[in-house]
Amino acid sequence: MIPELGQFSLILALLIAIVQSTLPITGLVRKNSIWINSAKYLALLQFFLVLIAFMALMRSYIVSDFTVTNVVNNSHSNKPLLYKIVGTWGNHEGSILLWVLILVAFGGALSLFGSNIPTTLRARVLSVQGWICVGFISFMLFTSNPFERTFPPPLNGNDLNPLLQDIGLAIHPPLLYVGYVGFSIVFSFAIAALLEGEVSSAWARWVRPWILISWTSLSAGIALGAWWAYYELGWGGWWFWDPVENVSFMPWLVGTALLHSAIVTEKRGAFKAWTVLLAILTFSLSLLGTFIVRSGLLTSVHSFAVDPERGIYILILLALSIGGSLLLFAYRAPSLEGGGLFSPISRESGLLLNNLFLTTSAAIVLFGTLYPLFLEGITGEKISVGPPFFNISFTPIGLMLGSTMAIGPYLKWKKADIAGILSRIKFLIFVSLGVSLFVWYLKTSGPVFAIVGVGVSFWLFTATLFEWMDRVKLINKDYSDIFKRIRSQPRSANGMTIAHLGMSFIILGVVCSSAWKEEVIGFVEKGSQLEVASFLVTFGGVSLYQGPNYNSEKATVKVEKDGKFLENLYPERRSYLATGTSTTESAIRQSLAGDLYVTISEPANNKFKGKWVLRLIYEPLVNFIWLGASFLALGGIISITDKRYKVGRTFKYRRTKPANKVVRLDNF
Amino acid sequence: MNHLKLFFITFFYLVPMGSSMAVEPDEVLTDSKLESRARDISTNVRCVVCQNEPIDTSNSGVARDLRILIRERLLAGDSNKEVFKYLVDRYGNFILFKPPLTLSTALLWFMPLLVFTLGVIILVGALKKASPLKRSKTFSVSNEKKLDVLENEKEKD
Amino acid sequence: MRRFVFLTPLALSLIIGAFAVWGLLNDRNPSEIPSALINRSVPNFDLLPLPGLNSPGLSKKELLNLEKVSVVNFFASWCLPCRAEHQSFIKLSRNDDIELLGINYKDNDKDALDWLTELGNPYTYVGNDFSGRTGIDWGITGVPETFIVNKNGKVVHRFSGPLVGERFEEFKELLMLELK
């Protein structure tokens, strides 16, 4: 009964979506204010309907209702409750339902918190959002229905892939989807603006909180995915430039460019067409990602169930949304007015440079990912484009971006005194060079990118911090008002500082853990010892224990350094009963200086039966990556709470500062 | 036909697998320089029976065979280039994660530079448009300075 | 001219879209790689026979000396699709114009012998590739894999997967072409 209720809700939601796509826009033409205002309520209604459907599916998982095909394929009665719940989205159909839920949630959020936005613009945005909903809900109902029934129901299900039975992987999809799907609202804003024929500074201000929410969530989602891969997969790596990883990285790169370009549109009314284009492209890249992951077009370790038929359906959705929006862009964008003037060295040009680096990177990732497909189509040759290509092409741009973004916050609008800035902070440049040389001296085997990278990271960190200190006049030694000055800083400025500091950590973590990783492998039995990076590791043997749906062989490993006992680690090999597959559970000794990463496995060669393979990896400074990512997310969250966006707190704001431009009603 | 294909694809890749986790201690060479070359090479060789993984970290039997083969070739005195050629002779360029620079991959390798250059040209064009050299003669220098100060104060953050 | 610039994003997406459509509609397998041996001479090999079997082993030199069209089939007793296609090889073995060489890949001698005894031995020659090295030399990615080698010892076709049904018909057609 409940699955049918879910199914019915989805059908209703589709019907409402169809109305939402058409009624408000028609209302704008016919100047019918009831129809225009209906957008808000339709969006909220859609949200509730899809929520009911989602709850229905989740409930089927919790009670292990094996009459539902989706539950049979992906769950098992012995699975721990947590993984029954998160398993709702650990498969294709369920994850599409989650996607749609977030899509309608954003529509609902705009209805509730977007009252500072003119009704007409909001009606248009919600209508466009409605079109996207129609596309995805119909995709779900016609090709990926989560509520299909199995009769007669089997005694038990096939269990969830053991790799997915993990808390990190539970939160990763929702965070990622809030990112991907959040950009749908930004996309709708862009389309609505093009339809109106007008992109104002006010528009840029209204859209910004939605960009920030999506960007923050996407950053966190990607970082979480990388962190999960790091601790779960057993080889100490966290990024492989795999197609599925790349398609999440592209919207992030373009989204970051958008985040920065929109600042210029908001403050100076410039880069209008470019910002709108970035808004369209970010969501288009999210859609491209959804397509590539689920269609089987490219080979990837992360593939969902591959189905070219579904691929065709999504491709049609893409053709309509991306094709349609870019066509509208080509038609309307040329008539958007240009913005203010600025000198070649200014905050505007700095942000333009930032955009150059980010969009070039996105183009590199896109081209590299799709190149094997292109080549195969044209000549039939099959090649692989893997990490070497991406690392070689991306690293220089990443380092250039890191170096120049240190100066960005110092630049003033319209015209910046670059000579003055550099003379004030040139001592930081010398210190950073010194750091690089020192690292080169210490680690003569280090690759160039790493030595430069450490210097860039240091430069970015100190320059960003120094700019903040300068802004709160910390250096003036006038400490009387210091706390007042710190508190009165606009939140968006603080957000920027924190996020940029986060980037410096990420650069440091990435280059050091990649360049100076150490690995030791050995056959061990009780009492054997291995050494890595001045840690002495003693193997204490293996004991067996039984988990809820798996059997585990758990090793005890003693870690010592300089003769002092540090801790015991417990790496495991787990064998999941329902699927028969096994996973490695690594044991990690974490510290800011680096991680000691320990895994065990059984030898492949029968000659060594009875012994175990112990693998030790030392990853220096790797935790700076996750620390940096948290700073990025924190910076985003702080920026969202900036007073001038007032998402939600509307009346005070509207009375004191009216919108910059009047929205014209007669444009369609 | 789709289902049949799926069935065969599943069984097709049924190579005997131990529960091994990538490089095993018995594969490791005693010469650490050669071993580190072996590791470098195998991170750049694609496991042909996996879904996008290097042989260095793959569990499959074929990956292990290739890892051992690479070490044999290194012990026999092959250079890195010769080892790669040995593998490409048997499996084609697909097995390399770093595509060789040929006529068909030239576009791939030069594209980043091309895109960046194109971007720089567009950037310079945008900068030129945004800061015209001609100034209106009626706008005095002091007025411009005042305007600058006012504008910068307003847009402080 | 300005309009033209604004059309570039759309143009680029259409190009990508066209390749995506091609990629999906083509019934292609993105993981399958073309054989690197096509139109090249057979790789070097020298295989010992399976102990207990009356078929001899084979080397490259011997294969070239035969100057006949040959079919090289990699198989194993632990491979289910090999079982499914075995009948096709029994049929082929009746044709005297073709030499059938079976290569036993990464198998246990006794299991392989039992398997061939049970299902019949269609091969004129059976080579023992216990280590899997010959498989690597032929660039195989799994079993079964079958190669058509022409009279001059050149590899002309490679088939991945079992030769049953339509696939087998395709195979026979190409084989007939070589025999002419």
Side-chain angles (χ1 to χ4, degrees):
Chain A
M1 238 297 278
I2 304 249
E4 271 66 44
L5 181 65
Q7 169 108 58
F8 186 59
S9 282
L10 282 182
I11 298 176
L12 269 183
L14 177 61
L15 295 172
I16 301 284
I18 295 175
V19 176
Q20 183 180 324
S21 329
T22 48
L23 199 64
I25 285 228
T26 326
L28 283 168
V29 173
R30 287 161 149 250
K31 306 222 190 348
N32 183 330
S33 63
I34 299 178
W35 288 9
I36 296 174
N37 280 314
S38 69
K40 201 165 69 163
Y41 302 103
L42 291 169
L44 283 168
L45 183 58
Q46 253 205 82
F47 170 64
F48 283 117
L49 287 170
V50 177
L51 185 64
I52 290 174
F54 190 76
M55 301 264 101
L57 185 64
M58 192 181 275
R59 181 247 176 213
S60 303
Y61 268 89
I62 293 177
V63 303
S64 292
D65 180 352
F66 292 123
T67 62
V68 178
T69 317
N70 194 253
V71 180
V72 172
N73 290 338
N74 302 292
S75 193
H76 194 277
S77 48
N78 288 342
K79 214 168 61 174
L81 182 62
L82 173 66
Y83 299 123
K84 281 185 184 150
I85 296 176
V86 303
T88 312
W89 58 79
N91 57 81
H92 168 74
E93 293 82 357
S95 65
I96 290 278
L97 183 53
L98 179 65
W99 218 98
V100 172
L101 179 65
I102 298 175
L103 190 64
V104 299
F106 268 94
L110 187 66
S111 308
L112 287 177
F113 302 113
S115 19
N116 59 330
I117 300 170
T119 322
T120 49
L121 179 63
R122 193 172 56 183
R124 279 211 179 86
V125 174
L126 287 174
S127 284
V128 178
Q129 193 78 352
W131 299 342
I132 305 175
C133 293
V134 169
F136 276 88
I137 299 179
S138 59
F139 170 66
M140 206 178 11
L141 284 172
F142 296 133
T143 74
S144 319
N145 192 346
F147 296 110
E148 263 175 30
R149 296 274 214 173
T150 299
F151 200 77
L155 279 176
N156 222 320
N158 301 341
D159 206 5
L160 183 63
N161 185 337
L163 280 178
L164 303 179
Q165 294 190 33
D166 177 283
I167 191 66
L169 214 58
I171 322 180
H172 164 70
L175 271 179
L176 211 59
Y177 289 3
V178 171
Y180 283 155
V181 181
F183 280 111
S184 69
I185 276 275
V186 176
F187 172 85
S188 304
F189 262 100
I191 302 294
L194 285 176
L195 287 174
E196 282 186 359
E198 171 112 35
V199 175
S200 60
S201 310
W203 173 87
R205 193 174 3 101
W206 295 321
V207 98
R208 193 170 178 76
W210 304 99
I211 300 179
L212 277 168
I213 294 173
S214 313
W215 179 88
T216 305
S217 191
L218 188 59
S219 308
I222 295 176
L224 198 63
W227 181 62
W228 174 84
Y230 171 70
Y231 77 76
E232 179 60 34
L233 295 180
W235 52 286
W238 43 268
W239 191 260
F240 189 64
W241 297 106
D242 177 81
V244 169
E245 294 169 8
N246 293 348
V247 296
S248 72
F249 196 40
M250 288 188 277
W252 185 87
L253 288 167
V254 179
T256 310
L258 172 64
L259 195 65
H260 291 80
S261 176
I263 301 176
V264 186
T265 309
E266 186 184 336
K267 301 281 179 156
R268 302 275 295 144
F271 303 172
K272 287 179 183 174
W274 180 244
T275 302
V276 164
L277 180 63
L278 287 176
I280 295 177
L281 287 179
T282 310
F283 185 56
S284 303
L285 287 168
S286 303
L287 288 177
L288 183 68
T290 308
F291 167 66
I292 286 183
V293 166
R294 293 163 201 274
S295 63
L297 192 68
L298 302 171
T299 321
S300 157
V301 271
H302 298 76
S303 317
F304 277 81
V306 157
D307 192 341
E309 274 167 38
R310 283 178 179 152
I312 298 277
Y313 200 106
I314 305 184
L315 196 55
I316 296 175
L317 277 180
L318 255 65
L320 292 172
S321 44
I322 301 179
S325 55
L326 289 177
L327 194 62
L328 180 63
F329 174 77
Y331 180 60
R332 277 287 164 88
S335 52
L336 292 174
E337 307 157 16
L341 304 176
F342 53 89
S343 113
I345 309 261
S346 57
R347 186 167 277 207
E348 289 95 327
S349 61
L351 289 170
L352 214 49
L353 189 66
N354 151 300
N355 268 226
L356 169 67
F357 290 136
L358 288 168
T359 44
T360 305
S361 311
I364 291 176
V365 176
L366 181 65
F367 202 59
T369 309
L370 293 179
Y371 199 77
L373 184 68
F374 291 156
L375 194 61
E376 194 190 327
I378 299 181
T379 65
E381 270 178 77
K382 272 211 166 163
I383 59 163
S384 304
V385 178
F389 169 77
F390 292 105
N391 288 335
I392 293 174
S393 312
F394 184 81
T395 310
I397 302 198
L399 290 176
M400 282 195 279
L401 179 60
S403 327
T404 49
M405 72 191 264
I407 310 213
Y410 289 90
L411 300 170
K412 291 209 176 333
W413 291 105
K414 270 200 74 177
K415 190 159 145 175
D417 175 20
I418 189 71
I421 296 171
L422 284 177
S423 69
R424 265 191 302 147
I425 59 176
K426 66 173 181 263
F427 75 99
L428 289 175
I429 302 181
F430 290 129
V431 175
S432 306
L433 275 173
V435 168
S436 268
L437 289 170
F438 181 62
V439 171
W440 187 30
Y441 166 72
L442 273 184
K443 297 251 178 199
T444 46
S445 62
V448 174
F449 82 87
I451 298 185
V452 172
V454 175
V456 167
S457 160
F458 193 79
W459 158 237
L460 180 58
F461 180 78
T462 50
T464 307
L465 199 59
F466 192 74
E467 192 270 331
W468 176 78
M469 284 162 54
D470 201 29
R471 224 182 322 131
V472 299
K473 299 194 180 22
L474 199 67
I475 308 179
N476 275 10
K477 295 203 178 129
D478 177 11
Y479 294 122
S480 50
D481 283 327
I482 187 71
F483 287 112
K484 185 154 155 236
R485 277 199 300 272
I486 292 182
R487 268 208 314 270
S488 67
Q489 285 295 310
R491 297 240 180 114
S492 53
N494 290 340
M496 168 194 76
T497 302
I498 293 178
H500 285 197
L501 291 176
M503 277 309 301
S504 73
F505 293 152
I506 291 178
I507 295 177
L508 184 69
V510 166
V511 300
C512 293
S513 66
S514 317
W516 294 303
K517 188 152 96 163
E518 289 173 51
E519 184 171 349
V520 166
I521 350 171
F523 287 119
V524 295
E525 48 192 2
K526 194 160 176 183
S528 309
Q529 288 188 325
L530 288 177
E531 259 190 74
V532 73
S534 74
F535 287 101
L536 180 65
V537 174
T538 315
F539 187 70
V542 163
S543 59
L544 301 171
Y545 84 91
Q546 204 163 28
N549 53 343
Y550 59 85
N551 286 332
S552 163
E553 294 163 303
K554 189 177 195 175
T556 307
V557 155
K558 188 168 73 168
V559 180
E560 294 167 290
K561 189 170 182 160
D562 300 329
K564 216 174 65 171
F565 171 78
L566 291 178
E567 68 178 292
N568 281 329
L569 294 173
Y570 304 98
E572 291 177 45
R573 282 287 290 177
R574 285 188 191 169
S575 202
Y576 282 79
L577 302 163
T579 50
T581 49
S582 48
T583 61
T584 342
E585 300 299 312
S586 60
I588 311 179
R589 176 186 160 73
Q590 293 178 307
S591 83
L592 265 186
D595 274 359
L596 176 63
Y597 191 98
V598 181
T599 56
I600 55 163
S601 60
E602 279 168 21
N605 196 334
N606 279 327
K607 211 166 64 177
F608 297 99
K609 214 176 177 78
K611 293 200 176 184
W612 286 87
V613 175
L614 184 67
R615 182 169 278 110
L616 305 174
I617 309 178
Y618 184 65
E619 308 235 7
L621 301 181
V622 72
N623 288 308
F624 274 89
I625 305 178
W626 324 124
L627 183 66
S630 329
F631 267 60
L632 276 188
L634 185 63
I637 294 173
I638 291 180
S639 291
I640 300 175
T641 58
D642 187 287
K643 280 196 212 84
R644 69 175 185 265
Y645 301 130
K646 296 274 181 163
V647 177
R649 294 172 57 190
T650 55
F651 341 114
K652 250 197 232 173
Y653 191 49
R654 247 204 260 167
R655 274 180 211 145
T656 52
K657 213 170 182 192
N660 285 9
K661 289 240 168 111
V662 174
V663 176
R664 297 203 276 272
L665 272 174
D666 45 13
N667 275 30
F668 187 123
Chain B
M1 185 53 207
N2 244 345
H3 284 290
L4 200 65
K5 226 194 333 186
L6 207 63
F7 167 82
F8 284 127
I9 290 172
T10 322
F11 278 96
F12 185 49
Y13 293 144
L14 206 67
V15 187
M17 265 164 49
S19 58
S20 56
M21 273 300 299
V23 179
E24 297 259 312
D26 58 333
E27 296 166 29
V28 174
L29 297 174
T30 40
D31 180 342
S32 64
K33 275 219 182 84
L34 280 182
E35 175 60 20
S36 103
R37 275 173 66 198
R39 295 301 296 275
D40 268 341
I41 294 175
S42 47
T43 43
N44 285 324
V45 171
R46 184 171 187 160
C47 163
V48 289
V49 298
C50 316
Q51 300 274 88
N52 202 23
E53 261 190 273
I55 57 174
D56 194 63
T57 59
S58 162
N59 289 351
S60 78
V62 175
R64 183 173 152 87
D65 290 342
L66 287 173
R67 289 197 300 263
I68 296 175
L69 175 68
I70 289 174
R71 286 166 174 78
E72 277 180 18
R73 302 300 323 163
L74 286 175
L75 284 170
D78 278 4
S79 69
N80 285 17
K81 212 160 151 201
E82 286 165 338
V83 175
F84 283 124
K85 180 170 189 307
Y86 189 90
L87 293 170
V88 170
D89 276 347
R90 287 150 177 77
Y91 287 99
N93 283 326
F94 182 77
I95 203 175
L96 299 175
F97 271 127
K98 181 174 177 183
L101 183 57
T102 65
L103 206 60
S104 17
T105 60
L107 184 61
L108 174 71
W109 284 105
F110 286 111
M111 184 271 308
L113 195 61
L114 285 173
V115 172
F116 189 67
T117 316
L118 188 67
V120 168
I121 294 174
I122 297 177
L123 181 79
V124 169
L127 288 180
K128 280 215 176 106
K129 220 170 68 168
S131 57
L133 291 172
K134 290 206 181 92
R135 290 207 186 282
S136 162
K137 291 212 175 89
T138 57
F139 206 71
S140 75
V141 175
S142 64
N143 272 344
E144 244 215 65
K145 279 218 174 97
K146 281 190 199 153
L147 190 64
D148 274 345
V149 170
L150 276 174
E151 291 229 24
N152 278 326
E153 266 182 26
K154 197 171 77 167
E155 334 275 18
K156 204 88 195 228
D157 46 359
Chain C
M1 177 63 200
R2 215 169 160 240
R3 268 294 159 93
F4 193 66
V5 168
F6 284 90
L7 276 170
T8 353
L10 180 64
L12 288 173
S13 338
L14 287 175
I15 295 177
I16 296 178
F19 277 99
V21 172
W22 170 85
L24 284 182
L25 289 184
N26 228 356
D27 218 22
R28 60 184 261 279
N29 179 356
S31 315
E32 194 179 303
I33 42 175
S35 170
L37 303 181
I38 304 290
N39 287 331
R40 279 165 53 191
S41 182
V42 188
N44 285 328
F45 67 97
D46 192 350
L47 296 170
L48 295 170
L50 261 183
L53 197 64
N54 52 8
S55 309
L58 196 66
S59 70
K60 172 172 178 175
K61 210 162 106 179
E62 290 164 348
L63 182 68
L64 290 176
N65 281 339
L66 292 173
E67 289 185 6
K68 274 170 101 172
V69 172
S70 34
V71 169
V72 178
N73 172 245
F74 282 82
F75 71 97
S77 63
W78 43 262
C79 155
L80 257 72
C82 301
R83 194 170 260 263
E85 71 167 3
H86 205 69
Q87 273 308 304
S88 312
F89 285 103
I90 304 277
K91 284 199 197 117
L92 280 178
S93 66
R94 300 196 190 109
N95 186 330
D96 286 327
D97 295 323
I98 336 167
E99 291 294 342
L100 278 181
L101 162 62
I103 300 188
N104 186 231
Y105 179 74
K106 291 187 105 171
D107 209 346
N108 176 302
D109 287 354
K110 183 175 182 306
D111 290 336
L113 193 59
D114 289 340
W115 195 81
L116 286 175
T117 316
E118 182 198 333
L119 296 174
N121 180 6
Y123 307 111
T124 330
Y125 305 91
V126 176
N128 187 353
D129 183 20
F130 179 70
S131 64
R133 220 24 102 70
T134 306
I136 291 182
D137 285 336
W138 284 71
I140 68 167
T141 52
V143 278
E145 234 171 272
T146 313
F147 297 83
I148 298 180
V149 179
N150 72 8
K151 300 192 184 82
N152 305 318
K154 252 196 186 173
V155 176
V156 285
H157 292 292
R158 192 275 315 258
F159 282 79
S160 302
L163 294 178
V164 286
E166 262 182 58
R167 211 85 208 291
F168 186 45
E169 297 306 313
E170 260 181 73
F171 176 82
K172 277 198 289 191
E173 271 179 46
L174 289 170
L175 192 56
M176 291 304 134
L177 280 173
E178 284 310 311
L179 286 170
K180 292 210 180 79

